[in-house]
Structure formats: structure tokens, C-alpha cells
mmCIF file of all heavy atoms in Angstrom:
data_model
loop_
_atom_site.group_PDB
_atom_site.id
_atom_site.type_symbol
_atom_site.label_atom_id
_atom_site.label_comp_id
_atom_site.label_asym_id
_atom_site.label_seq_id
_atom_site.Cartn_x
_atom_site.Cartn_y
_atom_site.Cartn_z
ATOM 1 N N HIS C 1 0.822 -1.232 -0.031
ATOM 2 C CA HIS C 1 0.006 -0.016 -0.014
ATOM 3 C C HIS C 1 0.846 1.257 -0.021
ATOM 4 O O HIS C 1 0.606 2.209 -0.746
ATOM 5 C CB HIS C 1 -0.914 -0.038 1.243
ATOM 6 C CG HIS C 1 -1.849 1.134 1.303
ATOM 7 N ND1 HIS C 1 -2.783 1.439 0.324
ATOM 8 C CD2 HIS C 1 -1.945 2.145 2.231
ATOM 9 C CE1 HIS C 1 -3.440 2.512 0.660
ATOM 10 N NE2 HIS C 1 -2.935 2.937 1.821
ATOM 11 N N ILE C 2 1.947 1.259 0.777
ATOM 12 C CA ILE C 2 2.841 2.435 0.836
ATOM 13 C C ILE C 2 3.537 2.631 -0.504
ATOM 14 O O ILE C 2 3.706 3.723 -0.985
ATOM 15 C CB ILE C 2 3.898 2.253 1.959
ATOM 16 C CG1 ILE C 2 3.251 2.243 3.324
ATOM 17 C CG2 ILE C 2 5.000 3.286 1.847
ATOM 18 C CD1 ILE C 2 4.177 1.978 4.470
ATOM 19 N N SER C 3 3.872 1.519 -1.195
ATOM 20 C CA SER C 3 4.507 1.636 -2.534
ATOM 21 C C SER C 3 3.552 2.328 -3.524
ATOM 22 O O SER C 3 4.054 3.208 -4.260
ATOM 23 C CB SER C 3 4.871 0.237 -3.021
ATOM 24 O OG SER C 3 5.447 0.308 -4.297
ATOM 25 N N ARG C 4 2.298 1.991 -3.486
ATOM 26 C CA ARG C 4 1.354 2.608 -4.419
ATOM 27 C C ARG C 4 1.231 4.105 -4.094
ATOM 28 O O ARG C 4 1.165 4.954 -4.996
ATOM 29 C CB ARG C 4 0.004 1.907 -4.360
ATOM 30 C CG ARG C 4 0.005 0.476 -4.936
ATOM 31 C CD ARG C 4 -1.435 0.012 -5.081
ATOM 32 N NE ARG C 4 -2.048 -0.203 -3.808
ATOM 33 C CZ ARG C 4 -2.010 -1.312 -3.064
ATOM 34 N NH1 ARG C 4 -1.323 -2.382 -3.513
ATOM 35 N NH2 ARG C 4 -2.674 -1.368 -1.890
ATOM 36 N N LEU C 5 1.149 4.417 -2.826
ATOM 37 C CA LEU C 5 1.033 5.837 -2.429
ATOM 38 C C LEU C 5 2.282 6.671 -2.894
ATOM 39 O O LEU C 5 2.193 7.785 -3.343
ATOM 40 C CB LEU C 5 0.860 5.958 -0.911
ATOM 41 C CG LEU C 5 -0.458 5.497 -0.336
ATOM 42 C CD1 LEU C 5 -0.453 5.624 1.161
ATOM 43 C CD2 LEU C 5 -1.608 6.362 -0.919
ATOM 44 N N LEU C 6 3.505 6.051 -2.724
ATOM 45 C CA LEU C 6 4.674 6.767 -3.075
ATOM 46 C C LEU C 6 4.783 7.034 -4.580
ATOM 47 O O LEU C 6 5.255 8.090 -5.028
ATOM 48 C CB LEU C 6 5.928 5.958 -2.665
ATOM 49 C CG LEU C 6 6.228 6.013 -1.150
ATOM 50 C CD1 LEU C 6 7.397 5.109 -0.825
ATOM 51 C CD2 LEU C 6 6.562 7.427 -0.712
ATOM 52 N N GLN C 7 4.301 6.080 -5.358
ATOM 53 C CA GLN C 7 4.289 6.271 -6.830
ATOM 54 C C GLN C 7 3.386 7.438 -7.185
ATOM 55 O O GLN C 7 3.755 8.257 -8.052
ATOM 56 C CB GLN C 7 3.796 4.983 -7.528
ATOM 57 C CG GLN C 7 4.796 3.824 -7.480
ATOM 58 C CD GLN C 7 4.250 2.579 -8.103
ATOM 59 O OE1 GLN C 7 3.142 2.564 -8.594
ATOM 60 N NE2 GLN C 7 5.055 1.517 -8.089
ATOM 61 N N THR C 8 2.253 7.539 -6.532
ATOM 62 C CA THR C 8 1.312 8.681 -6.762
ATOM 63 C C THR C 8 1.996 10.001 -6.387
ATOM 64 O O THR C 8 1.925 10.983 -7.131
ATOM 65 C CB THR C 8 0.015 8.473 -5.969
ATOM 66 O OG1 THR C 8 -0.557 7.239 -6.329
ATOM 67 C CG2 THR C 8 -0.957 9.620 -6.206
ATOM 68 N N VAL C 9 2.629 10.014 -5.247
ATOM 69 C CA VAL C 9 3.303 11.273 -4.828
ATOM 70 C C VAL C 9 4.421 11.633 -5.767
ATOM 71 O O VAL C 9 4.627 12.808 -6.060
ATOM 72 C CB VAL C 9 3.856 11.082 -3.377
ATOM 73 C CG1 VAL C 9 4.732 12.225 -2.944
ATOM 74 C CG2 VAL C 9 2.723 10.924 -2.373
ATOM 75 N N GLN C 10 5.194 10.648 -6.238
ATOM 76 C CA GLN C 10 6.295 10.916 -7.160
ATOM 77 C C GLN C 10 5.831 11.554 -8.450
ATOM 78 O O GLN C 10 6.439 12.456 -8.994
ATOM 79 C CB GLN C 10 7.055 9.629 -7.431
ATOM 80 C CG GLN C 10 8.320 9.826 -8.290
ATOM 81 C CD GLN C 10 9.118 8.552 -8.443
ATOM 82 O OE1 GLN C 10 8.666 7.502 -8.022
ATOM 83 N NE2 GLN C 10 10.292 8.655 -9.072
ATOM 84 N N GLN C 11 4.684 11.003 -8.973
ATOM 85 C CA GLN C 11 4.161 11.609 -10.215
ATOM 86 C C GLN C 11 3.707 13.038 -9.995
ATOM 87 O O GLN C 11 3.961 13.905 -10.870
ATOM 88 C CB GLN C 11 2.929 10.767 -10.663
ATOM 89 C CG GLN C 11 3.291 9.377 -11.178
ATOM 90 C CD GLN C 11 2.097 8.485 -11.392
ATOM 91 O OE1 GLN C 11 0.985 8.912 -11.173
ATOM 92 N NE2 GLN C 11 2.345 7.248 -11.890
ATOM 93 N N GLU C 12 3.130 13.306 -8.857
ATOM 94 C CA GLU C 12 2.737 14.721 -8.545
ATOM 95 C C GLU C 12 3.968 15.638 -8.437
ATOM 96 O O GLU C 12 3.955 16.792 -8.900
ATOM 97 C CB GLU C 12 1.921 14.763 -7.263
ATOM 98 C CG GLU C 12 0.533 14.119 -7.338
ATOM 99 C CD GLU C 12 -0.361 14.856 -8.335
ATOM 100 O OE1 GLU C 12 -0.222 16.040 -8.478
ATOM 101 O OE2 GLU C 12 -1.181 14.125 -8.941
ATOM 102 N N GLN C 13 5.017 15.117 -7.807
ATOM 103 C CA GLN C 13 6.269 15.941 -7.671
ATOM 104 C C GLN C 13 6.886 16.209 -9.047
ATOM 105 O O GLN C 13 7.410 17.300 -9.259
ATOM 106 C CB GLN C 13 7.262 15.214 -6.776
ATOM 107 C CG GLN C 13 6.892 15.188 -5.345
ATOM 108 C CD GLN C 13 7.906 14.446 -4.489
ATOM 109 O OE1 GLN C 13 8.666 13.648 -5.024
ATOM 110 N NE2 GLN C 13 7.895 14.723 -3.169
ATOM 111 N N GLU C 14 6.831 15.269 -9.965
ATOM 112 C CA GLU C 14 7.328 15.478 -11.323
ATOM 113 C C GLU C 14 6.585 16.592 -12.021
ATOM 114 O O GLU C 14 7.148 17.454 -12.687
ATOM 115 C CB GLU C 14 7.273 14.193 -12.139
ATOM 116 C CG GLU C 14 8.334 13.156 -11.780
ATOM 117 C CD GLU C 14 9.706 13.646 -12.162
ATOM 118 O OE1 GLU C 14 9.839 14.359 -13.120
ATOM 119 O OE2 GLU C 14 10.681 13.242 -11.409
ATOM 120 N N ARG C 15 5.287 16.542 -11.846
ATOM 121 C CA ARG C 15 4.470 17.597 -12.470
ATOM 122 C C ARG C 15 4.795 18.978 -11.898
ATOM 123 O O ARG C 15 4.909 19.967 -12.632
ATOM 124 C CB ARG C 15 2.991 17.293 -12.285
ATOM 125 C CG ARG C 15 2.488 16.015 -12.996
ATOM 126 C CD ARG C 15 0.980 15.935 -12.957
ATOM 127 N NE ARG C 15 0.480 14.687 -13.506
ATOM 128 C CZ ARG C 15 0.152 13.615 -12.778
ATOM 129 N NH1 ARG C 15 0.249 13.666 -11.498
ATOM 130 N NH2 ARG C 15 -0.246 12.509 -13.377
ATOM 131 N N LEU C 16 4.991 19.022 -10.551
ATOM 132 C CA LEU C 16 5.321 20.325 -9.951
ATOM 133 C C LEU C 16 6.679 20.792 -10.371
ATOM 134 O O LEU C 16 6.907 21.995 -10.594
ATOM 135 C CB LEU C 16 5.289 20.152 -8.393
ATOM 136 C CG LEU C 16 3.836 19.987 -7.811
ATOM 137 C CD1 LEU C 16 4.007 19.693 -6.339
ATOM 138 C CD2 LEU C 16 3.038 21.258 -8.011
ATOM 139 N N ARG C 17 7.647 19.905 -10.458
ATOM 140 C CA ARG C 17 9.008 20.262 -10.862
ATOM 141 C C ARG C 17 9.021 20.805 -12.283
ATOM 142 O O ARG C 17 9.697 21.824 -12.584
ATOM 143 C CB ARG C 17 9.915 19.034 -10.806
ATOM 144 C CG ARG C 17 11.411 19.322 -10.943
ATOM 145 C CD ARG C 17 12.208 18.144 -10.496
ATOM 146 N NE ARG C 17 12.095 17.060 -11.477
ATOM 147 C CZ ARG C 17 12.926 16.888 -12.493
ATOM 148 N NH1 ARG C 17 13.956 17.724 -12.694
ATOM 149 N NH2 ARG C 17 12.800 15.876 -13.338
ATOM 150 N N TRP C 18 8.257 20.210 -13.178
ATOM 151 C CA TRP C 18 8.274 20.690 -14.554
ATOM 152 C C TRP C 18 7.529 22.035 -14.634
ATOM 153 O O TRP C 18 7.906 22.890 -15.426
ATOM 154 C CB TRP C 18 7.600 19.652 -15.460
ATOM 155 C CG TRP C 18 7.892 19.932 -16.897
ATOM 156 C CD1 TRP C 18 7.025 20.372 -17.841
ATOM 157 C CD2 TRP C 18 9.102 19.804 -17.561
ATOM 158 N NE1 TRP C 18 7.656 20.578 -19.016
ATOM 159 C CE2 TRP C 18 8.965 20.189 -18.864
ATOM 160 C CE3 TRP C 18 10.415 19.409 -17.087
ATOM 161 C CZ2 TRP C 18 9.976 20.182 -19.768
ATOM 162 C CZ3 TRP C 18 11.410 19.421 -18.028
ATOM 163 C CH2 TRP C 18 11.209 19.815 -19.340
ATOM 164 N N ALA C 19 6.498 22.202 -13.799
ATOM 165 C CA ALA C 19 5.825 23.479 -13.786
ATOM 166 C C ALA C 19 6.745 24.594 -13.312
ATOM 167 O O ALA C 19 6.719 25.722 -13.848
ATOM 168 C CB ALA C 19 4.577 23.398 -12.899
ATOM 169 N N GLU C 20 7.608 24.270 -12.350
ATOM 170 C CA GLU C 20 8.550 25.272 -11.855
ATOM 171 C C GLU C 20 9.577 25.630 -12.947
ATOM 172 O O GLU C 20 9.925 26.799 -13.142
ATOM 173 C CB GLU C 20 9.290 24.731 -10.644
ATOM 174 C CG GLU C 20 10.296 25.712 -10.042
ATOM 175 C CD GLU C 20 11.062 25.133 -8.872
ATOM 176 O OE1 GLU C 20 10.770 24.002 -8.481
ATOM 177 O OE2 GLU C 20 11.989 25.811 -8.427
ATOM 178 N N TYR C 21 10.020 24.581 -13.703
ATOM 179 C CA TYR C 21 10.951 24.848 -14.790
ATOM 180 C C TYR C 21 10.298 25.778 -15.862
ATOM 181 O O TYR C 21 10.946 26.718 -16.337
ATOM 182 C CB TYR C 21 11.363 23.554 -15.450
ATOM 183 C CG TYR C 21 12.091 23.677 -16.716
ATOM 184 C CD1 TYR C 21 13.445 24.099 -16.740
ATOM 185 C CD2 TYR C 21 11.485 23.483 -17.965
ATOM 186 C CE1 TYR C 21 14.110 24.212 -17.925
ATOM 187 C CE2 TYR C 21 12.148 23.661 -19.152
ATOM 188 C CZ TYR C 21 13.483 24.010 -19.139
ATOM 189 O OH TYR C 21 14.144 24.181 -20.312
ATOM 190 N N LYS C 22 9.017 25.521 -16.192
ATOM 191 C CA LYS C 22 8.342 26.375 -17.159
ATOM 192 C C LYS C 22 8.212 27.821 -16.678
ATOM 193 O O LYS C 22 8.396 28.768 -17.438
ATOM 194 C CB LYS C 22 6.909 25.809 -17.427
ATOM 195 C CG LYS C 22 6.868 24.525 -18.264
ATOM 196 C CD LYS C 22 7.169 24.836 -19.703
ATOM 197 C CE LYS C 22 6.915 23.649 -20.585
ATOM 198 N NZ LYS C 22 7.153 23.958 -22.006
ATOM 199 N N ALA C 23 7.983 27.952 -15.378
ATOM 200 C CA ALA C 23 7.879 29.296 -14.859
ATOM 201 C C ALA C 23 9.195 30.064 -14.950
ATOM 202 O O ALA C 23 9.310 31.229 -15.264
ATOM 203 C CB ALA C 23 7.411 29.239 -13.394
ATOM 204 N N LEU C 24 10.286 29.363 -14.633
ATOM 205 C CA LEU C 24 11.614 29.975 -14.715
ATOM 206 C C LEU C 24 11.981 30.348 -16.154
ATOM 207 O O LEU C 24 12.581 31.388 -16.380
ATOM 208 C CB LEU C 24 12.690 29.033 -14.149
ATOM 209 C CG LEU C 24 12.693 28.879 -12.617
ATOM 210 C CD1 LEU C 24 13.651 27.723 -12.246
ATOM 211 C CD2 LEU C 24 13.083 30.185 -11.945
ATOM 212 N N GLN C 25 11.632 29.501 -17.088
ATOM 213 C CA GLN C 25 11.911 29.757 -18.506
ATOM 214 C C GLN C 25 11.128 30.948 -18.991
ATOM 215 O O GLN C 25 11.631 31.767 -19.762
ATOM 216 C CB GLN C 25 11.623 28.506 -19.342
ATOM 217 C CG GLN C 25 11.923 28.705 -20.844
ATOM 218 C CD GLN C 25 11.740 27.413 -21.591
ATOM 219 O OE1 GLN C 25 12.622 26.561 -21.514
ATOM 220 N NE2 GLN C 25 10.635 27.312 -22.252
ATOM 221 N N ALA C 26 9.921 31.076 -18.544
ATOM 222 C CA ALA C 26 9.053 32.154 -18.978
ATOM 223 C C ALA C 26 9.571 33.497 -18.418
ATOM 224 O O ALA C 26 9.389 34.544 -19.051
ATOM 225 C CB ALA C 26 7.596 31.922 -18.486
ATOM 226 N N GLN C 27 10.227 33.465 -17.294
ATOM 227 C CA GLN C 27 10.713 34.733 -16.693
ATOM 228 C C GLN C 27 11.769 35.411 -17.534
ATOM 229 O O GLN C 27 11.938 36.609 -17.465
ATOM 230 C CB GLN C 27 11.329 34.426 -15.302
ATOM 231 C CG GLN C 27 10.295 34.079 -14.275
ATOM 232 C CD GLN C 27 10.963 33.675 -12.944
ATOM 233 O OE1 GLN C 27 12.188 33.748 -12.821
ATOM 234 N NE2 GLN C 27 10.173 33.308 -11.991
ATOM 235 N N ILE C 28 12.472 34.656 -18.376
ATOM 236 C CA ILE C 28 13.644 35.267 -19.047
ATOM 237 C C ILE C 28 13.233 36.008 -20.298
ATOM 238 O O ILE C 28 13.912 36.950 -20.720
ATOM 239 C CB ILE C 28 14.668 34.172 -19.392
ATOM 240 C CG1 ILE C 28 16.035 34.784 -19.613
ATOM 241 C CG2 ILE C 28 14.248 33.352 -20.595
ATOM 242 C CD1 ILE C 28 17.132 33.787 -19.649
ATOM 243 N N ASN C 29 12.077 35.676 -20.911
ATOM 244 C CA ASN C 29 11.739 36.308 -22.167
ATOM 245 C C ASN C 29 11.548 37.832 -22.070
ATOM 246 O O ASN C 29 12.134 38.568 -22.855
ATOM 247 C CB ASN C 29 10.447 35.660 -22.716
ATOM 248 C CG ASN C 29 10.725 34.230 -23.171
ATOM 249 O OD1 ASN C 29 11.780 33.948 -23.728
ATOM 250 N ND2 ASN C 29 9.752 33.345 -22.960
ATOM 251 N N PRO C 30 10.736 38.368 -21.157
ATOM 252 C CA PRO C 30 10.660 39.816 -21.073
ATOM 253 C C PRO C 30 11.987 40.479 -20.763
ATOM 254 O O PRO C 30 12.189 41.635 -21.196
ATOM 255 C CB PRO C 30 9.673 40.004 -19.885
ATOM 256 C CG PRO C 30 8.943 38.704 -19.776
ATOM 257 C CD PRO C 30 9.917 37.663 -20.200
ATOM 258 N N HIS C 31 12.893 39.806 -20.082
ATOM 259 C CA HIS C 31 14.121 40.424 -19.683
ATOM 260 C C HIS C 31 15.001 40.769 -20.919
ATOM 261 O O HIS C 31 15.358 41.924 -21.078
ATOM 262 C CB HIS C 31 14.862 39.463 -18.751
ATOM 263 C CG HIS C 31 16.154 40.038 -18.236
ATOM 264 N ND1 HIS C 31 16.173 41.100 -17.354
ATOM 265 C CD2 HIS C 31 17.420 39.640 -18.453
ATOM 266 C CE1 HIS C 31 17.437 41.370 -17.068
ATOM 267 N NE2 HIS C 31 18.199 40.511 -17.735
ATOM 268 N N PHE C 32 15.254 39.790 -21.782
ATOM 269 C CA PHE C 32 16.161 40.142 -22.935
ATOM 270 C C PHE C 32 15.374 40.870 -24.037
ATOM 271 O O PHE C 32 15.923 41.599 -24.821
ATOM 272 C CB PHE C 32 16.840 38.899 -23.470
ATOM 273 C CG PHE C 32 15.976 37.855 -24.145
ATOM 274 C CD1 PHE C 32 15.470 38.022 -25.401
ATOM 275 C CD2 PHE C 32 15.691 36.683 -23.444
ATOM 276 C CE1 PHE C 32 14.714 37.074 -25.982
ATOM 277 C CE2 PHE C 32 14.882 35.739 -24.059
ATOM 278 C CZ PHE C 32 14.417 35.931 -25.301
ATOM 279 N N LEU C 33 14.016 40.686 -24.086
ATOM 280 C CA LEU C 33 13.226 41.375 -25.097
ATOM 281 C C LEU C 33 13.282 42.889 -24.815
ATOM 282 O O LEU C 33 13.445 43.688 -25.760
ATOM 283 C CB LEU C 33 11.774 40.909 -25.048
ATOM 284 C CG LEU C 33 10.830 41.605 -26.010
ATOM 285 C CD1 LEU C 33 11.325 41.409 -27.470
ATOM 286 C CD2 LEU C 33 9.423 41.006 -25.806
ATOM 287 N N TYR C 34 13.226 43.279 -23.563
ATOM 288 C CA TYR C 34 13.299 44.667 -23.240
ATOM 289 C C TYR C 34 14.627 45.277 -23.679
ATOM 290 O O TYR C 34 14.639 46.335 -24.340
ATOM 291 C CB TYR C 34 13.114 44.858 -21.701
ATOM 292 C CG TYR C 34 13.444 46.304 -21.256
ATOM 293 C CD1 TYR C 34 12.540 47.312 -21.352
ATOM 294 C CD2 TYR C 34 14.698 46.537 -20.721
ATOM 295 C CE1 TYR C 34 12.864 48.586 -20.978
ATOM 296 C CE2 TYR C 34 15.029 47.802 -20.269
ATOM 297 C CZ TYR C 34 14.092 48.835 -20.433
ATOM 298 O OH TYR C 34 14.437 50.087 -20.007
ATOM 299 N N ASN C 35 15.732 44.636 -23.410
ATOM 300 C CA ASN C 35 17.065 45.171 -23.801
ATOM 301 C C ASN C 35 17.222 45.274 -25.304
ATOM 302 O O ASN C 35 17.831 46.204 -25.806
ATOM 303 C CB ASN C 35 18.167 44.302 -23.211
ATOM 304 C CG ASN C 35 18.294 44.467 -21.702
ATOM 305 O OD1 ASN C 35 18.451 45.564 -21.190
ATOM 306 N ND2 ASN C 35 18.121 43.385 -20.984
ATOM 307 N N THR C 36 16.660 44.257 -26.052
ATOM 308 C CA THR C 36 16.829 44.259 -27.507
ATOM 309 C C THR C 36 15.993 45.427 -28.111
ATOM 310 O O THR C 36 16.436 46.166 -29.007
ATOM 311 C CB THR C 36 16.385 42.914 -28.088
ATOM 312 O OG1 THR C 36 17.137 41.909 -27.438
ATOM 313 C CG2 THR C 36 16.627 42.862 -29.598
ATOM 314 N N LEU C 37 14.761 45.533 -27.670
ATOM 315 C CA LEU C 37 13.915 46.613 -28.214
ATOM 316 C C LEU C 37 14.509 48.002 -27.884
ATOM 317 O O LEU C 37 14.368 48.939 -28.683
ATOM 318 C CB LEU C 37 12.508 46.489 -27.632
ATOM 319 C CG LEU C 37 11.727 45.243 -28.107
ATOM 320 C CD1 LEU C 37 10.365 45.165 -27.402
ATOM 321 C CD2 LEU C 37 11.492 45.268 -29.616
ATOM 322 N N ASP C 38 15.130 48.090 -26.755
ATOM 323 C CA ASP C 38 15.762 49.347 -26.360
ATOM 324 C C ASP C 38 16.895 49.689 -27.396
ATOM 325 O O ASP C 38 17.044 50.840 -27.799
ATOM 326 C CB ASP C 38 16.337 49.279 -24.964
ATOM 327 C CG ASP C 38 16.937 50.580 -24.531
ATOM 328 O OD1 ASP C 38 16.260 51.584 -24.392
ATOM 329 O OD2 ASP C 38 18.202 50.565 -24.349
ATOM 330 N N SER C 39 17.627 48.684 -27.815
ATOM 331 C CA SER C 39 18.704 48.910 -28.784
ATOM 332 C C SER C 39 18.125 49.340 -30.121
ATOM 333 O O SER C 39 18.656 50.261 -30.791
ATOM 334 C CB SER C 39 19.510 47.618 -28.965
ATOM 335 O OG SER C 39 20.114 47.280 -27.742
ATOM 336 N N ILE C 40 17.034 48.663 -30.597
ATOM 337 C CA ILE C 40 16.410 49.041 -31.888
ATOM 338 C C ILE C 40 15.877 50.487 -31.816
ATOM 339 O O ILE C 40 16.047 51.297 -32.702
ATOM 340 C CB ILE C 40 15.296 48.083 -32.209
ATOM 341 C CG1 ILE C 40 15.868 46.645 -32.442
ATOM 342 C CG2 ILE C 40 14.489 48.526 -33.448
ATOM 343 C CD1 ILE C 40 14.825 45.591 -32.621
ATOM 344 N N ASN C 41 15.272 50.863 -30.752
ATOM 345 C CA ASN C 41 14.773 52.236 -30.532
ATOM 346 C C ASN C 41 15.901 53.222 -30.652
ATOM 347 O O ASN C 41 15.733 54.303 -31.249
ATOM 348 C CB ASN C 41 14.089 52.282 -29.165
ATOM 349 C CG ASN C 41 13.544 53.694 -28.908
ATOM 350 O OD1 ASN C 41 12.674 54.187 -29.578
ATOM 351 N ND2 ASN C 41 14.108 54.337 -27.905
#
């Protein structure tokens, strides 16, 4: 029973970890876009 519960928890942790990665990747786009547009201007 504990083994089945741990598998469920591990799957949830993988989903959360990937969601955190997506959030970090999304943070970088506005940062370099602002600097590039400033150069074009």
C-alpha cells in the first residue's frame, strides 16, 4: 500500500518540478526582449 502511495506522490512531484521549470523559463523572455527593443529604438 505504501508503494502505491509513493508512486502517486512521485508523479505529482514530477508535475510540480516541470511546472517550476516552465515558470523559470518564462521569466527570461521579457528580460532580454526589453534590452533588444531598447537597442532598436
Side-chain angles (χ1 to χ4, degrees):
H1 182 61
I2 292 174
S3 178
R4 290 192 295 271
L5 289 177
L6 285 177
Q7 289 177 1
T8 302
V9 171
Q10 186 176 4
Q11 291 172 357
E12 292 298 327
Q13 287 179 340
E14 285 292 330
R15 293 190 186 100
L16 289 174
R17 190 167 71 92
W18 196 251
E20 182 183 355
Y21 170 76
K22 286 288 190 178
L24 287 171
Q25 180 173 283
Q27 289 175 3
I28 201 167
N29 291 323
H31 184 66
F32 67 76
L33 178 60
Y34 168 79
N35 288 304
T36 304
L37 292 176
D38 181 64
S39 298
I40 296 173
N41 179 64

